[in-house]
Amino acid sequence: MFSIVYNLWPMVEDIIVQYIDLDFTLWLTWLLMPLLITFLLPLVIALLLYLTALMLYIYKLHRVRLRNAYGTAWRETALHMAAAAWDAHGWIWHGYEIVGLENIPQDKPVLFIYYHGAIPVDVYYFASKIFLYNSKLIRLVVDRFLFKIPGWSIFADVLKIIPGTVQTCSTILREGNMLAISPGGVYEAQFGDSYYELMWKKRLGFAKVALDAKVSIVPFFTKNLREAFRTVSWGRRIWLKIYAKTKLPLIPIYGGFPVKLVTYIGKPIPYDENLTPEELKIKVADSLRDLITKHQKVPGNITRALVERIRNTEKDND
């Protein structure tokens, strides 16, 4: 076998020399490298998600030994490990911060409403930090398609992630938990852009949940979220047709840029029995738009967001 390879190598070498321009290949690699990196970086988040799932499975399989080692339930230990990993990623890669923690009502159930980025990394960072520093787990409502992804079931089990109906969400809040919903969901994630316009359509589910559970709504928005990850803008009509038929997020995502991310928490909107779901929806949307207008320059700019990251790093080092 070795002799065959040895004999064939001169022929392969001649083909490379005759038909491949090494200088052109190196130039093309240099030219396309930024594009390759731009589309490969989102895979880092997917990889981190699967590493988290792997870690959760390890804790699940070895929960007896780990419980003896740590003295707590395996889910609690696994949650702390996963939260620590995501919190570290947010701090290192995006200098992630939260402003307005005092706006979260203490010792009360809360419904968080947020703007959905192309990849909602801010929600992962936000939930991780709240869990690590306040020991409170924020339940997340996600699209049903995620439960069809291999390995996702462990997230649903440990992190208490649900597809969410009005009844189940209301029950979770009535039990005294915190819950986060993005009314725009996958549609807003896929078709939103750097102008940060809310794309909620006629969705009223979150308002019905808040009124039924009689809880306050706390909006939050993350600055530069669309500069961290974006969806491609070409072929928008085609992607809209595909989404209308499949309800799947198939638009290519690019980015992963280490821009500065800051989550701003708005003032709580208290329960008001006199409001209809439609009126409450308008009130919450206006509050979230105010956060966007106050803290986000539109259209968003990746270069500007990167500069903000550098400036904040310099301030931290002073």
Short mmCIF file of all heavy atoms in Angstrom, two decimals, residues 198-229:
data_model
loop_
_atom_site.label_atom_id
_atom_site.label_comp_id
_atom_site.label_asym_id
_atom_site.label_seq_id
_atom_site.Cartn_x
_atom_site.Cartn_y
_atom_site.Cartn_z
N LEU A 198 -39.89 46.12 15.84
CA LEU A 198 -40.60 44.97 16.40
C LEU A 198 -41.46 44.33 15.32
O LEU A 198 -42.12 45.03 14.55
CB LEU A 198 -41.47 45.40 17.57
CG LEU A 198 -40.76 46.07 18.76
CD1 LEU A 198 -41.76 46.36 19.87
CD2 LEU A 198 -39.62 45.21 19.29
N MET A 199 -41.44 43.01 15.27
CA MET A 199 -42.20 42.28 14.26
C MET A 199 -43.09 41.25 14.96
O MET A 199 -42.86 40.05 14.90
CB MET A 199 -41.24 41.62 13.26
CG MET A 199 -40.26 42.59 12.63
SD MET A 199 -39.08 41.85 11.49
CE MET A 199 -40.13 41.57 10.07
N TRP A 200 -44.10 41.76 15.64
CA TRP A 200 -44.95 40.92 16.47
C TRP A 200 -46.23 40.46 15.78
O TRP A 200 -46.94 39.62 16.32
CB TRP A 200 -45.34 41.67 17.75
CG TRP A 200 -44.18 41.92 18.67
CD1 TRP A 200 -42.87 41.61 18.46
CD2 TRP A 200 -44.25 42.53 19.96
NE1 TRP A 200 -42.11 41.99 19.53
CE2 TRP A 200 -42.93 42.57 20.47
CE3 TRP A 200 -45.28 43.05 20.74
CZ2 TRP A 200 -42.63 43.11 21.71
CZ3 TRP A 200 -44.98 43.60 21.97
CH2 TRP A 200 -43.66 43.62 22.46
N LYS A 201 -46.51 41.03 14.62
CA LYS A 201 -47.75 40.73 13.92
C LYS A 201 -48.95 40.97 14.85
O LYS A 201 -49.05 41.99 15.50
CB LYS A 201 -47.72 39.31 13.37
CG LYS A 201 -46.66 39.07 12.29
CD LYS A 201 -46.79 37.69 11.71
CE LYS A 201 -45.83 37.50 10.57
NZ LYS A 201 -45.96 36.15 9.96
N LYS A 202 -49.85 39.98 14.93
CA LYS A 202 -51.04 40.13 15.77
C LYS A 202 -50.97 39.26 17.02
O LYS A 202 -52.01 38.91 17.61
CB LYS A 202 -52.30 39.79 14.97
CG LYS A 202 -52.55 40.72 13.79
CD LYS A 202 -53.81 40.33 13.04
CE LYS A 202 -54.05 41.27 11.87
NZ LYS A 202 -55.29 40.90 11.12
N ARG A 203 -49.77 38.92 17.44
CA ARG A 203 -49.61 38.01 18.56
C ARG A 203 -50.01 38.68 19.89
O ARG A 203 -49.48 39.73 20.24
CB ARG A 203 -48.18 37.51 18.62
CG ARG A 203 -47.83 36.64 17.42
CD ARG A 203 -46.41 36.16 17.46
NE ARG A 203 -46.11 35.30 16.33
CZ ARG A 203 -44.92 34.79 16.07
NH1 ARG A 203 -43.90 35.06 16.87
NH2 ARG A 203 -44.73 34.01 15.03
N LEU A 204 -50.90 38.03 20.59
CA LEU A 204 -51.40 38.55 21.87
C LEU A 204 -51.20 37.57 23.02
O LEU A 204 -51.57 37.86 24.16
CB LEU A 204 -52.90 38.87 21.76
CG LEU A 204 -53.32 40.00 20.82
CD1 LEU A 204 -54.82 40.00 20.67
CD2 LEU A 204 -52.83 41.34 21.35
N GLY A 205 -50.61 36.41 22.73
CA GLY A 205 -50.48 35.37 23.74
C GLY A 205 -49.82 35.82 25.01
O GLY A 205 -50.30 35.53 26.12
N PHE A 206 -48.72 36.58 24.88
CA PHE A 206 -47.98 37.02 26.07
C PHE A 206 -48.84 37.93 26.94
O PHE A 206 -48.76 37.89 28.18
CB PHE A 206 -46.68 37.72 25.67
CG PHE A 206 -46.86 39.13 25.16
CD1 PHE A 206 -46.76 40.22 26.02
CD2 PHE A 206 -47.15 39.36 23.83
CE1 PHE A 206 -46.93 41.52 25.56
CE2 PHE A 206 -47.31 40.65 23.35
CZ PHE A 206 -47.21 41.74 24.22
N ALA A 207 -49.66 38.79 26.29
CA ALA A 207 -50.52 39.70 27.05
C ALA A 207 -51.61 38.92 27.79
O ALA A 207 -51.94 39.23 28.95
CB ALA A 207 -51.15 40.72 26.10
N LYS A 208 -52.15 37.89 27.14
CA LYS A 208 -53.15 37.06 27.79
C LYS A 208 -52.56 36.32 28.99
O LYS A 208 -53.21 36.15 30.02
CB LYS A 208 -53.72 36.06 26.78
CG LYS A 208 -54.53 36.72 25.66
CD LYS A 208 -55.01 35.69 24.66
CE LYS A 208 -55.80 36.34 23.53
NZ LYS A 208 -56.26 35.34 22.53
N VAL A 209 -51.30 35.88 28.83
CA VAL A 209 -50.61 35.20 29.92
C VAL A 209 -50.46 36.12 31.13
O VAL A 209 -50.77 35.74 32.27
CB VAL A 209 -49.22 34.69 29.47
CG1 VAL A 209 -48.38 34.27 30.66
CG2 VAL A 209 -49.37 33.55 28.49
N ALA A 210 -49.99 37.34 30.88
CA ALA A 210 -49.75 38.30 31.97
C ALA A 210 -51.05 38.64 32.69
O ALA A 210 -51.08 38.74 33.93
CB ALA A 210 -49.09 39.56 31.42
N LEU A 211 -52.12 38.83 31.92
CA LEU A 211 -53.41 39.18 32.53
C LEU A 211 -54.00 38.01 33.30
O LEU A 211 -54.59 38.19 34.37
CB LEU A 211 -54.37 39.66 31.45
CG LEU A 211 -54.03 41.00 30.79
CD1 LEU A 211 -54.96 41.28 29.62
CD2 LEU A 211 -54.08 42.14 31.80
N ASP A 212 -53.84 36.81 32.75
CA ASP A 212 -54.39 35.64 33.42
C ASP A 212 -53.64 35.32 34.71
O ASP A 212 -54.24 34.97 35.73
CB ASP A 212 -54.32 34.43 32.49
CG ASP A 212 -55.00 33.21 33.08
OD1 ASP A 212 -56.21 33.26 33.33
OD2 ASP A 212 -54.30 32.21 33.31
N ALA A 213 -52.31 35.49 34.68
CA ALA A 213 -51.49 35.21 35.87
C ALA A 213 -51.41 36.39 36.81
O ALA A 213 -50.91 36.26 37.94
CB ALA A 213 -50.09 34.80 35.44
N LYS A 214 -51.86 37.57 36.35
CA LYS A 214 -51.86 38.79 37.16
C LYS A 214 -50.45 39.16 37.63
O LYS A 214 -50.19 39.38 38.81
CB LYS A 214 -52.80 38.64 38.37
CG LYS A 214 -54.24 38.35 37.99
CD LYS A 214 -55.13 38.20 39.22
CE LYS A 214 -56.57 37.92 38.80
NZ LYS A 214 -57.48 37.76 39.97
N VAL A 215 -49.52 39.23 36.66
CA VAL A 215 -48.13 39.55 36.97
C VAL A 215 -47.67 40.79 36.21
O VAL A 215 -48.30 41.22 35.23
CB VAL A 215 -47.19 38.37 36.59
CG1 VAL A 215 -47.53 37.14 37.40
CG2 VAL A 215 -47.27 38.07 35.10
N SER A 216 -46.58 41.35 36.68
CA SER A 216 -45.97 42.49 36.01
C SER A 216 -45.17 42.01 34.79
O SER A 216 -44.67 40.89 34.77
CB SER A 216 -45.03 43.23 36.96
OG SER A 216 -45.73 43.74 38.07
N ILE A 217 -45.06 42.88 33.82
CA ILE A 217 -44.24 42.62 32.63
C ILE A 217 -43.02 43.51 32.69
O ILE A 217 -43.13 44.72 32.90
CB ILE A 217 -45.02 42.87 31.33
CG1 ILE A 217 -46.13 41.84 31.17
CG2 ILE A 217 -44.09 42.84 30.13
CD1 ILE A 217 -46.97 42.03 29.92
N VAL A 218 -41.84 42.92 32.49
CA VAL A 218 -40.59 43.68 32.49
C VAL A 218 -39.94 43.53 31.10
O VAL A 218 -39.52 42.42 30.76
CB VAL A 218 -39.62 43.20 33.59
CG1 VAL A 218 -38.30 43.96 33.49
CG2 VAL A 218 -40.25 43.39 34.96
N PRO A 219 -39.86 44.62 30.32
CA PRO A 219 -39.22 44.52 29.01
C PRO A 219 -37.71 44.67 29.13
O PRO A 219 -37.22 45.35 30.03
CB PRO A 219 -39.82 45.71 28.26
CG PRO A 219 -40.07 46.74 29.33
CD PRO A 219 -40.44 45.95 30.58
N PHE A 220 -36.97 44.01 28.26
CA PHE A 220 -35.53 44.27 28.19
C PHE A 220 -35.06 44.20 26.75
O PHE A 220 -35.62 43.49 25.92
CB PHE A 220 -34.73 43.34 29.11
CG PHE A 220 -34.65 41.89 28.70
CD1 PHE A 220 -33.75 41.48 27.72
CD2 PHE A 220 -35.43 40.93 29.32
CE1 PHE A 220 -33.65 40.14 27.35
CE2 PHE A 220 -35.33 39.59 28.97
CZ PHE A 220 -34.43 39.20 27.97
N PHE A 221 -34.01 44.95 26.47
CA PHE A 221 -33.44 45.04 25.12
C PHE A 221 -31.92 45.04 25.22
O PHE A 221 -31.35 45.65 26.13
CB PHE A 221 -33.90 46.33 24.43
CG PHE A 221 -33.13 46.63 23.18
CD1 PHE A 221 -33.34 45.91 22.02
CD2 PHE A 221 -32.17 47.63 23.17
CE1 PHE A 221 -32.60 46.17 20.87
CE2 PHE A 221 -31.44 47.90 22.03
CZ PHE A 221 -31.66 47.17 20.87
N THR A 222 -31.29 44.35 24.27
CA THR A 222 -29.83 44.27 24.26
C THR A 222 -29.24 45.08 23.11
O THR A 222 -29.51 44.79 21.94
CB THR A 222 -29.36 42.81 24.17
OG1 THR A 222 -29.90 42.08 25.28
CG2 THR A 222 -27.84 42.73 24.20
N LYS A 223 -28.46 46.08 23.48
CA LYS A 223 -27.82 46.95 22.50
C LYS A 223 -26.81 46.17 21.66
O LYS A 223 -26.07 45.33 22.15
CB LYS A 223 -27.10 48.08 23.25
CG LYS A 223 -26.39 49.08 22.36
CD LYS A 223 -25.70 50.13 23.21
CE LYS A 223 -24.97 51.14 22.35
NZ LYS A 223 -24.28 52.16 23.18
N ASN A 224 -26.82 46.44 20.35
CA ASN A 224 -25.90 45.84 19.36
C ASN A 224 -26.15 44.37 19.09
O ASN A 224 -25.31 43.68 18.51
CB ASN A 224 -24.43 46.02 19.79
CG ASN A 224 -24.00 47.48 19.81
OD1 ASN A 224 -24.48 48.28 19.03
ND2 ASN A 224 -23.11 47.81 20.73
N LEU A 225 -27.31 43.86 19.48
CA LEU A 225 -27.61 42.45 19.29
C LEU A 225 -27.56 42.06 17.81
O LEU A 225 -27.06 41.00 17.45
CB LEU A 225 -28.99 42.14 19.88
CG LEU A 225 -29.43 40.67 19.85
CD1 LEU A 225 -28.43 39.79 20.58
CD2 LEU A 225 -30.82 40.52 20.46
N ARG A 226 -28.08 42.94 16.95
CA ARG A 226 -28.09 42.66 15.51
C ARG A 226 -26.72 42.87 14.87
O ARG A 226 -26.53 42.50 13.70
CB ARG A 226 -29.11 43.56 14.80
CG ARG A 226 -30.54 43.11 14.97
CD ARG A 226 -30.88 41.99 14.02
NE ARG A 226 -32.15 41.36 14.36
CZ ARG A 226 -32.66 40.32 13.75
NH1 ARG A 226 -32.00 39.75 12.75
NH2 ARG A 226 -33.81 39.81 14.13
N GLU A 227 -25.81 43.44 15.60
CA GLU A 227 -24.45 43.59 15.08
C GLU A 227 -23.59 42.39 15.47
O GLU A 227 -22.52 42.19 14.91
CB GLU A 227 -23.80 44.88 15.61
CG GLU A 227 -24.27 46.14 14.90
CD GLU A 227 -25.76 46.36 14.96
OE1 GLU A 227 -26.30 46.65 16.05
OE2 GLU A 227 -26.42 46.19 13.90
N ALA A 228 -24.04 41.61 16.43
CA ALA A 228 -23.34 40.38 16.80
C ALA A 228 -23.63 39.29 15.77
O ALA A 228 -22.73 38.62 15.27
CB ALA A 228 -23.75 39.92 18.19
N PHE A 229 -24.90 39.12 15.44
CA PHE A 229 -25.32 38.13 14.44
C PHE A 229 -26.39 38.74 13.55
O PHE A 229 -27.27 39.46 14.03
CB PHE A 229 -25.88 36.87 15.11
CG PHE A 229 -24.87 36.08 15.88
CD1 PHE A 229 -24.72 36.29 17.24
CD2 PHE A 229 -24.08 35.14 15.25
CE1 PHE A 229 -23.80 35.55 17.97
CE2 PHE A 229 -23.15 34.41 15.98
CZ PHE A 229 -23.00 34.61 17.33
#
